[in-house]
Amino acid sequence: MNKVSNINLSELALLADINTLTITPNNRTAACLSNRVIEHVLSQTNKNACVAPTILPLDTWVSSTFLSLRTQNIAPFCNLSMIGDNELTAYWVKAIHNDKMAGSLVNLSEWLSDAMSADKILSRWEVTKYQPDSSLSSAFMRWRANVQKEILTKGFVTKPMAIELLINAIKKGEVKLPKRVALYAFDEQPPLYKKLFAAIQDKAKLNTVNLVATSKNWYSVPTVDNDDQLTVVAKWASKIIDNEPGKTIAIVSHDLKANRNEIVRSLNDVFEPQWLLPSNKPYIAPYDVSLGLTLKQIPLYQRALHYLSITSEFVMTEHVLNIITDPFIVNSKTEKMARRKFASKMRDNRAHRTSLMQLAMKSYCPSILSRCLNEFVRINTTHPDKLLPSRWARLFNSSLNALGWARGVELSEMEALGADKWKSVLDSLSSLDMHTGEITRELAYKLINQYCQNTLVTPKSKNSPISVMGSLEAAGLNFDYIWIIDCVDNIFPAPASLNGCIPTQLQIDKKMPHSSGEREYEFTQMLFNRYASSCSCFYTSYTLNGPYGAHKPASILSNANSIIDSKSIIDNDVIDYHTLTFQQFNVTTKEDNIGKLEMKNNTVPGGVSLVDKIGLCMMQAITNFRMKVTDHTPNYNMGFTGAEKGIMLHNALESLWGSLIALRGKNKSDSYTLEVIDENKLAKLIANAVDIAFFWVDRTDIREVLIEQERSLMCETLSQWISLERDRDEFNIIALEKSDFIDLGGVKLKIRKDRVDHVFNSDNTHKTLALDAKSREESVSRSFGRNPKSQLPLAAISLEFKY
């Protein structure tokens, strides 16, 4: 990442001095600043190496200084230890879990993050006494008192407590400080930090590094709506990448979690079509998206937490079905069909509780699954009520191993990245022995659940020139260009967001974070000043129209130097998907002359059904309600949908042909197998294929008698189809459900061939044919008759055909 010069040369020299300690708010800012100072020193000295500057995050400096005083046997540090965040979380979970007076509060665990955040805020703002104003703030006072009492009794202190002790040690001259201490990027200093920095200033020379703002390059860009805004940003980024190689760009969103997909889609629309053009080389996305997932959000670990929540032998049948059909359980592929049939037998008892042990003893329970369930039950039912956290961690691990969780499973990128995080979660639980003593399984599970909620898994960065980031994440990092989207008045500044654990008036009076509109406006000013001083060019865009009406630009944009037209900063020659499509095909554009939707008494015709149609298919809503076209959708309540029948037929054919291929003799063809196969054996293969086709059908609105009729019809259809196949020339099946690509007008399209045959014609010519099977009927009622006809008309095309 290229660095920009927003710190003057004299201050860079100061930070590089070996006698200077530089303190930053967080790790990210410290790493960024260290790189910039080292680059400056190397450029000034024309060397390849230099002494690394002493640049530390505040938490790291506090921890290292506290440890140094402890090793020097200086009281009270020699009798105390700083507690880590994971260990502190355990005390809070325990305090909330054991609070018998908080029965009026719903789901106490939901307040854990607010409670821990409130504890940090009160400590940093040095608030010791106050009057609670709600049942939650009263409960929080009890929790906080219990946590502080317990950790102090065991000889631990939190980071704010450690800072208070260090302030006293600095005043006594017990802390060895360098000649100069520099503060960097502390845009906001709560009272505790001000007190600490004042104590340092009395013993050493304290400097505050001020950034050189580049406000002369702050541009405001109005756009029509969100789609227009994201398209402009993507095309602008493409122009920068093409014309200024090596430059770095940050695209910043206030809510990256909600906007990620739309931002990525807009970038793909601009960057991917360039790869589709004939002259271009293989494509690599030139952007990184920083947003990760918590360990709890990744399905693999979500399933693990679900299994650990099972605490008895008797469980709901639905939980057993989840285990049986889970792809993350060992040998799920080996016993795939057996487990499916086993699950099918249990579907009628979903509302009942089931004994896992008795279930494992059933004769129709697959053997490997039976052993897994037996071991799982044994581990989870033969332990004391209370154990040390390390023992619970081992038991949880053994419990998952008994099920074969994640064993032999090919992991996705996020699942693989989460593997080490999962181990660290179990290690964190194991480290609590001296903090909590023996605890119940319920409390141990709450702790591991909370650790998974707090553990973030982020994809590996490709060091791409474009970074898509959140608003707080981008602050403090340096880029050549920064573009902030959605700069409208209801987002910047954000609405006040009070902490429910702290009295409302106290937050307002002390000007605590997010306590008022005024406070949010001040925070927005600091944030945008940080952006403007961290890049060469700063862009801010806003939309004039939103889904619920017109927008107003954020008031902070009045500080921008100029308002520029979006068309003047983008490359109009950049080809997006829509343009590419128009270039490749003959497209006729037709104006919409239908007019507005007619309403009587301001009432939308169709009522709620219009909303349903729009949600399902916008085009269907237009044809039904604006064009007045009669709805021809079949009444699916009478039977399976066309899509369901198509999927079932594909599954049946794939199973049937797979079984017939397995019977192919040496130097024999599949057509020969059809000729010589015993009719009874063929009937069994067809019946088994139909069983597979219907296994995953989950339509409780269809009567069993109708399902049986459908099964019978499919058996008859497959039988008739086999008779047609027997009349063909000699053939071999060489692929089933084969994916492939074709080139259509310069555009690559992905297709799927249901079947590929190698055909030996009577004239001794060989051909390879792609076959496609289709279902002719949409309605079950149309398929019934005394002589049901084939539902599988065949479409075949020679692979020598040029598209």
Side-chain angles (χ1 to χ4, degrees):
M1 179 184 298
N2 292 338
K3 303 298 183 294
V4 293
S5 300
N6 56 2
I7 302 178
N8 62 45
L9 295 180
S10 61
E11 287 180 330
L12 283 172
L14 171 69
L15 299 181
D17 194 302
I18 59 173
N19 294 316
T20 299
L21 164 68
T22 305
I23 301 177
T24 69
N26 51 55
N27 291 324
R28 186 179 67 247
T29 306
C32 180
L33 181 61
S34 296
N35 289 337
R36 297 178 62 210
V37 173
I38 290 173
E39 286 182 3
H40 168 71
V41 173
L42 295 178
S43 65
Q44 293 294 312
T45 59
N46 292 320
K47 294 182 178 179
N48 296 322
C50 67
V51 177
T54 308
I55 300 175
L56 300 174
L58 178 61
D59 286 349
T60 301
W61 179 79
V62 170
S63 299
S64 60
T65 306
F66 189 98
L67 180 60
S68 175
L69 294 172
R70 186 168 182 242
T71 55
Q72 295 174 44
N73 205 29
I74 297 176
F77 301 94
C78 57
N79 300 317
L80 298 171
S81 295
M82 284 187 63
I83 191 169
D85 289 339
N86 282 336
E87 291 76 15
L88 183 60
T89 300
Y91 285 92
W92 278 97
V93 172
K94 184 178 178 182
I96 296 174
H97 177 76
N98 294 332
D99 187 7
K100 305 300 182 184
M101 299 176 60
S104 60
L105 293 174
V106 180
N107 198 356
L108 295 176
S109 61
E110 290 187 0
W111 298 107
L112 177 63
S113 59
D114 278 356
M116 295 187 68
S117 175
D119 176 47
K120 291 180 180 178
I121 292 172
L122 291 177
S123 297
R124 291 172 180 171
W125 264 259
E126 299 189 298
V127 177
T128 55
K129 295 181 180 180
Y130 62 90
Q131 188 65 34
D133 63 350
S134 66
S135 57
L136 177 59
S137 59
S138 297
F140 167 74
M141 286 190 72
R142 293 194 302 274
W143 302 337
R144 189 172 189 234
N146 290 335
V147 169
Q148 291 183 345
K149 179 181 178 181
E150 190 170 359
I151 63 175
L152 288 172
T153 299
K154 294 183 178 180
F156 293 100
V157 292
T158 62
K159 288 175 184 175
M161 292 177 183
I163 291 176
E164 291 281 6
L165 295 175
L166 287 177
I167 292 172
N168 293 329
I170 292 171
K171 291 179 178 179
K172 294 178 183 178
E174 295 170 342
V175 177
K176 185 178 179 180
L177 294 171
K179 293 181 180 180
R180 289 181 296 272
V181 176
L183 302 180
Y184 174 77
F186 280 94
D187 298 318
E188 180 178 75
Q189 296 182 18
L192 180 62
Y193 290 3
K194 290 181 179 179
K195 188 176 174 181
L196 172 64
F197 298 149
I200 292 175
Q201 190 171 19
D202 288 340
K203 301 294 182 179
K205 186 176 181 181
L206 187 69
N207 296 83
T208 300
V209 177
N210 296 310
L211 301 181
V212 179
T214 54
S215 57
K216 62 181 180 180
N217 294 321
W218 181 348
Y219 306 112
S220 177
V221 186
T223 57
V224 178
D225 53 26
N226 191 53
D227 288 341
D228 180 43
Q229 175 181 229
L230 296 181
T231 300
V232 168
V233 173
K235 289 188 174 183
W236 164 82
S238 175
K239 182 178 180 180
I240 297 296
I241 296 300
D242 289 341
N243 298 332
E244 302 180 51
K247 297 296 185 179
T248 57
I249 299 170
I251 299 174
V252 181
S253 170
H254 72 288
D255 189 352
L256 185 55
K257 185 177 181 180
N259 298 331
R260 170 180 177 161
N261 290 340
E262 289 186 347
I263 296 173
V264 169
R265 184 169 60 249
S266 297
L267 290 171
N268 287 341
D269 281 348
V270 169
F271 285 100
E272 285 192 359
Q274 317 309 313
W275 167 65
L276 294 176
L277 295 176
S279 60
N280 284 10
K281 297 179 180 180
Y283 167 77
I284 299 176
Y287 58 85
D288 281 325
V289 182
S290 63
L291 182 66
L293 298 172
T294 65
L295 202 60
K296 191 175 179 179
Q297 291 175 310
I298 301 174
L300 176 65
Y301 305 101
Q302 194 177 67
R303 301 303 301 166
L305 291 173
H306 170 68
Y307 296 141
L308 295 181
S309 68
I310 299 175
T311 57
S312 66
E313 179 187 347
F314 291 89
V315 299
M316 295 297 293
T317 306
E318 283 191 27
H319 293 172
V320 184
L321 287 171
N322 288 335
I323 295 175
I324 296 171
T325 59
D326 193 343
F328 299 128
I329 297 300
V330 68
N331 288 307
S332 59
K333 291 184 178 180
T334 306
E335 293 186 331
K336 182 177 181 180
M337 292 311 305
R339 292 189 186 188
R340 285 181 175 182
K341 290 181 178 180
F342 182 44
S344 182
K345 291 180 180 293
M346 301 176 60
R347 287 185 180 275
D348 294 335
N349 300 313
R350 287 187 179 184
H352 302 293
R353 292 175 65 81
T354 303
S355 167
L356 290 177
M357 190 68 77
Q358 292 179 7
L359 198 63
M361 296 172 64
K362 297 288 186 181
S363 60
Y364 50 82
C365 181
S367 59
I368 298 176
L369 179 63
S370 176
R371 291 197 299 270
C372 290
L373 290 177
N374 272 314
E375 183 65 11
F376 180 75
V377 172
R378 185 191 67 77
I379 292 173
N380 285 286
T381 56
T382 57
H383 58 73
D385 292 336
K386 289 188 175 183
L387 290 171
L388 289 172
S390 59
R391 294 279 303 279
W392 283 122
R394 289 197 294 272
L395 187 143
F396 288 158
N397 190 53
S398 299
S399 179
L400 293 174
N401 285 336
L403 283 178
W405 170 78
R407 196 187 310 160
V409 177
E410 185 176 347
L411 302 181
S412 67
E413 179 189 5
M414 292 298 287
E415 289 165 351
L417 291 172
D420 290 337
K421 302 284 188 178
W422 175 257
K423 292 177 184 177
S424 70
V425 164
L426 293 177
D427 290 342
S428 296
L429 182 63
S430 298
S431 68
L432 299 179
D433 288 359
M434 66 181 296
H435 296 281
T436 62
E438 292 188 341
I439 57 177
T440 63
R441 177 179 179 132
E442 181 186 6
L443 183 53
Y445 176 76
K446 285 186 176 181
L447 286 168
I448 201 170
N449 189 67
Q450 188 61 41
Y451 288 155
C452 287
Q453 181 66 40
N454 294 342
T455 302
L456 189 66
V457 180
T458 54
K460 292 182 178 179
S461 173
K462 302 187 293 290
N463 294 320
S464 302
I466 303 173
S467 298
V468 182
M469 315 181 82
S471 56
L472 292 179
E473 185 182 14
L477 299 183
N478 295 297
F479 298 88
D480 295 300
Y481 297 91
I482 295 179
W483 187 306
I484 316 295
I485 65 171
D486 294 330
C487 296
V488 294
D489 61 347
N490 63 335
I491 294 179
F492 294 108
S497 177
L498 296 164
N499 190 309
C501 296
I502 307 176
T504 299
Q505 195 58 46
L506 177 63
Q507 295 181 66
I508 296 173
D509 292 343
K510 295 289 185 178
K511 293 187 176 181
M512 293 179 179
H514 313 297
S515 58
S516 66
E518 180 184 2
R519 186 73 170 77
E520 289 294 339
Y521 182 75
E522 292 175 356
F523 178 76
T524 299
Q525 284 186 313
M526 290 188 293
L527 191 64
F528 275 66
N529 286 338
R530 173 66 57 187
Y531 293 145
S533 58
S534 299
C535 62
S536 298
C537 290
F538 181 37
Y539 290 83
T540 50
S541 62
Y542 60 93
T543 56
L544 299 173
N545 301 295
Y548 306 108
H551 283 163
K552 293 181 179 179
S555 57
I556 191 71
L557 299 189
S558 61
N559 295 329
N561 302 108
S562 61
I563 300 175
I564 58 177
D565 184 3
S566 61
K567 294 180 181 179
S568 66
I569 58 172
I570 65 175
D571 187 352
N572 293 313
D573 292 330
V574 172
I575 303 175
D576 58 23
Y577 271 129
H578 303 290
T579 306
L580 183 65
T581 302
F582 274 77
Q583 286 184 357
Q584 299 298 320
F585 305 105
N586 293 324
V587 178
T588 302
T589 302
K590 187 176 181 180
E591 296 296 330
D592 178 5
N593 297 319
I594 301 171
K596 294 184 179 180
L597 179 64
E598 294 182 3
M599 293 186 292
K600 295 181 179 179
N601 298 324
N602 207 32
T603 302
V604 178
V608 177
S609 63
L610 174 59
V611 179
D612 292 337
K613 293 289 187 186
I614 292 174
L616 291 171
C617 176
M618 182 67 74
M619 192 61 208
Q620 193 175 36
I622 292 173
T623 56
N624 287 175
F625 294 99
R626 291 184 64 187
M627 300 177 69
K628 310 299 183 183
V629 176
T630 306
D631 186 1
H632 292 288
T633 305
N635 182 1
Y636 290 141
N637 290 329
M638 295 178 61
F640 296 110
T641 66
E644 286 173 331
K645 290 168 69 175
I647 292 171
M648 289 189 291
L649 286 166
H650 271 275
N651 290 341
L653 284 170
E654 185 178 8
S655 173
L656 177 59
W657 289 117
S659 301
L660 289 170
I661 291 171
L663 298 175
R664 183 192 299 167
K666 186 176 181 180
N667 299 324
K668 299 294 183 180
S669 64
D670 292 328
S671 54
Y672 177 80
T673 304
L674 285 180
E675 289 178 11
V676 301
I677 191 171
D678 180 75
E679 292 298 329
N680 291 330
K681 187 171 185 178
L682 178 60
K684 288 182 179 179
L685 291 180
I686 292 175
N688 184 63
V690 173
D691 284 344
I692 291 173
F694 278 81
F695 180 79
W696 286 116
V697 177
D698 191 13
R699 288 286 301 276
T700 57
D701 59 324
I702 302 178
R703 296 174 59 189
E704 188 64 32
V705 62
L706 189 56
I707 293 178
E708 287 304 316
Q709 288 176 319
E710 281 282 3
R711 292 167 66 92
S712 175
L713 181 61
M714 186 176 289
C715 285
E716 178 66 23
T717 298
L718 293 180
S719 298
Q720 292 184 18
W721 190 247
I722 290 297
S723 66
L724 293 175
E725 293 279 2
R726 283 173 169 169
D727 293 336
R728 292 177 55 198
D729 289 329
E730 186 180 358
F731 67 88
N732 266 336
I733 299 173
I734 59 177
L736 293 170
E737 303 294 332
K738 177 178 174 58
S739 294
D740 209 340
F741 291 87
I742 64 171
D743 189 282
L744 187 61
V747 180
K748 286 186 177 180
L749 299 179
K750 186 176 182 180
I751 63 171
R752 188 185 66 179
K753 303 165 186 173
D754 297 340
R755 200 171 111 200
V756 180
D757 283 8
H758 191 62
V759 182
F760 309 88
N761 291 342
S762 56
D763 58 358
N764 203 29
T765 59
H766 298 183
K767 283 190 176 183
T768 303
L769 298 181
L771 285 74
D772 189 34
K774 298 294 183 186
S775 172
R776 184 188 307 172
E777 304 292 348
E778 287 185 303
S779 171
V780 172
S781 60
R782 297 178 190 173
S783 300
F784 289 121
R786 300 187 64 180
N787 298 310
K789 296 183 178 180
S790 168
Q791 287 181 278
L792 300 172
L794 180 69
I797 189 168
S798 169
L799 291 189
E800 283 75 26
F801 178 82
K802 300 300 182 183
Y803 296 99

